[in-house]
Amino acid sequence: MVYGLMIHSVDSSQTLHFSIFFTPEGNDANKKTRQQTIMRRILEEHLFQTHSGDQHSSVKLKASSTLDDADWLFRFTSDSKSSAQPGMDYTEGILRLQASSLFEYPKLVVWKQVDRVVYTLVCEPLDNPLLASNFLTLFVHEVNDHFRKSGNVMEEVTTRPDEILAILNFLLPGGQLLFINLHLYRHLKSQISSVLTQKA
């Protein structure tokens, strides 16, 4: 069983859109501090990935350009901007949080950032990180697919958490990671659509 799930902004470690914890420890008096600690660590990792990606593409472009080319400066600046752009739309990672006053046991944090929003799954150390990553991919797709029709996805997530819980009921029942293949996902997607249309 996973420890918890959070949806938060990549721009600040203070903006939390949704969270649910499946353990008593996750819901204790330190919940807010725990959430901010996780968000801060992910923000640091995201910034590291985006900045190191910019430097890596710049170094590669410097090595490939020569001073004999008259337009080397133009190519360098335009190429580095275009190659840095994809890194801004999507980042992902896995972090390990050590046991501390906030966590009795170490935790594995699997996260994906899509369109400036971070989807974070906090797992126990023995949980399968590939299943966690697969869940996040499906969850992000389902959330964006459902809420994009209404406009701003994050405003909808914040104002309609019951629909997030309905999606989680199928994709992460009781905090349990599932092995979901394409056929099962299609079945779950149809059930999710049915429940959410009944609610509307």
Side-chain angles (χ1 to χ4, degrees), residues 52-172:
S52 67
D54 290 346
Q55 291 173 354
H56 177 69
S57 62
S58 299
V59 169
K60 188 169 31 170
L61 287 169
K62 280 182 185 176
S64 66
S65 64
T66 63
L67 293 176
D68 296 331
D69 294 334
D71 61 341
W72 69 273
L73 182 60
F74 174 75
R75 272 203 335 252
F76 174 72
T77 56
S78 63
D79 287 349
S80 66
K81 287 180 185 171
S82 65
S83 64
Q85 191 61 27
M88 298 301 286
D89 295 330
Y90 178 82
T91 52
E92 66 179 336
I94 298 177
L95 302 172
R96 182 175 171 85
L97 300 175
Q98 297 299 326
S100 65
S101 60
L102 295 176
F103 303 103
E104 184 178 358
Y105 300 105
K107 302 294 178 224
L108 202 62
V109 179
V110 182
W111 61 275
K112 292 182 186 270
Q113 180 272 137
V114 179
D115 295 333
R116 312 300 297 159
V117 178
V118 181
Y119 301 83
T120 303
L121 191 64
V122 183
C123 304
E124 298 297 338
L126 297 178
D127 283 335
N128 187 332
L130 292 176
L131 286 182
S133 180
N134 185 48
F135 159 76
L136 281 178
T137 300
L138 298 175
F139 180 68
V140 168
H141 175 73
E142 201 59 42
V143 166
N144 283 318
D145 190 43
H146 176 67
F147 289 112
R148 195 171 303 272
K149 301 167 192 162
S150 306
N152 186 343
V153 174
M154 281 310 100
E155 286 178 12
E156 296 298 321
V157 166
T158 305
T159 58
R160 296 170 21 200
D162 53 330
E163 295 179 22
I164 295 291
L165 291 173
I167 293 170
L168 287 175
N169 186 49
F170 291 100
L171 296 180
L172 191 70

Side-chain angles (χ1 to χ4, degrees), residues 2-52:
V2 300
Y3 187 79
L5 173 89
M6 297 168 38
I7 302 173
H8 52 95
S9 172
V10 76
D11 298 320
S12 165
S13 62
Q14 304 294 323
T15 309
L16 180 67
H17 301 292
F18 176 85
S19 78
I20 182 170
F21 288 93
F22 297 99
T23 64
E25 180 190 57
N27 292 303
D28 66 6
N30 293 325
K31 181 177 182 176
K32 187 168 184 164
T33 306
R34 188 176 293 112
Q35 291 168 339
Q36 289 176 341
T37 301
I38 294 168
M39 290 188 292
R40 195 171 15 260
R41 283 287 309 274
I42 291 172
L43 179 60
E44 290 170 2
E45 181 68 21
H46 167 74
L47 291 174
F48 174 77
Q49 286 185 19
T50 54
H51 291 303
S52 67

Side-chain angles (χ1 to χ4, degrees), residues 142 166-167 169-171 173 178 183-199:
E142 201 59 42
I167 293 170
N169 186 49
F170 291 100
L171 296 180
L178 301 176
H183 296 294
L184 179 58
Y185 177 63
R186 286 181 182 158
H187 173 70
L188 293 175
K189 187 172 179 62
S190 67
Q191 288 185 324
I192 291 168
S193 297
S194 172
V195 166
L196 292 177
T197 52
Q198 286 176 359
K199 186 193 171 306

